Amino acid sequence: IPPGVDAKSGRKHKPRLYSIASTRYGDVLDGNTISLCVRRAEYVDPVTGEKDPAKQGVCSNFLCDVRAGDEVSVAGPVGKTMLLPKDSNTDIIMIATGTGIAPFRGFMHRLFMENTLARHMFGGRAWLVLGVPVTGGLLYKEEFDCMQRNAGADQLRIDYAISREMTAKTG
């Protein structure tokens, strides 16, 4: 929850919902940390070329500016972890755009990075399709490359759809 009050309502900001991008053990495997996938939203006026502060994401900007040791108020619904299918040899298809990659990143960490029961049990193939407008918007690419190296042969396929850079005439 960002600090301060909403300029329009004069009340405290409402909670913003973000998907957690790490497993229950956290990125450092201590069980005390979480990762969020947050992208700063900025709008540049096409006439002036200036950033318009009136169109900034309140919570996203707050989170992007947080420093180590800053206090952050957290609230919201608690979801369940992503589970493997009952048949652990079932193939999994994951489709995400932009910051929507967050829950899949955590799930894929369980399958291909951490020494977990899920990793040892999973015998299927996983396919991730991640769409972004431009290559610079690819999130976690280095991690996904590492996951592909850790996965069994042909166990993890990752395809990127870069919408503003694709040049095929037929779509």
Side-chain angles (χ1 to χ4, degrees), residues 22-35 109-110 114-118:
S22 54
T23 69
R24 70 179 81 182
Y25 306 109
D27 285 352
V28 295
L29 304 177
D30 65 355
N32 294 315
T33 60
I34 62 167
S35 292
H109 261 263
R110 287 182 62 218
E114 296 177 358
N115 189 17
T116 61
L117 183 59

Side-chain angles (χ1 to χ4, degrees), residues 16-22 35-38 99-104 140:
R16 305 309 203 273
L17 303 180
Y18 293 88
S19 294
I20 295 174
S22 54
S35 292
L36 300 176
C37 183
V38 179
T99 57
I101 191 61
F104 297 123
Y140 307 117

Side-chain angles (χ1 to χ4, degrees), residues 9 38 40-42 46 51 85 88 101 104 112 118 121 126 152 161 164:
S9 70
V38 179
R40 186 184 301 270
E42 294 178 327
K51 292 179 188 170
S88 60
I101 191 61
F104 297 123
F112 304 111
M121 290 179 56
R164 293 188 190 153

Side-chain angles (χ1 to χ4, degrees), residues 131-154:
V132 294
V134 294
T135 303
L138 286 175
L139 303 171
Y140 307 117
K141 177 145 181 11
E142 291 176 2
E143 287 183 33
F144 294 149
D145 291 346
C146 184
M147 289 177 194
Q148 285 186 299
R149 290 190 296 272
N150 288 347
D154 298 320

Side-chain angles (χ1 to χ4, degrees), residues 77-91:
V78 177
K80 297 189 183 233
T81 185
M82 291 179 81
L83 301 174
L84 283 173
K86 287 184 182 181
D87 177 354
S88 60
N89 292 314
T90 299
D91 295 340

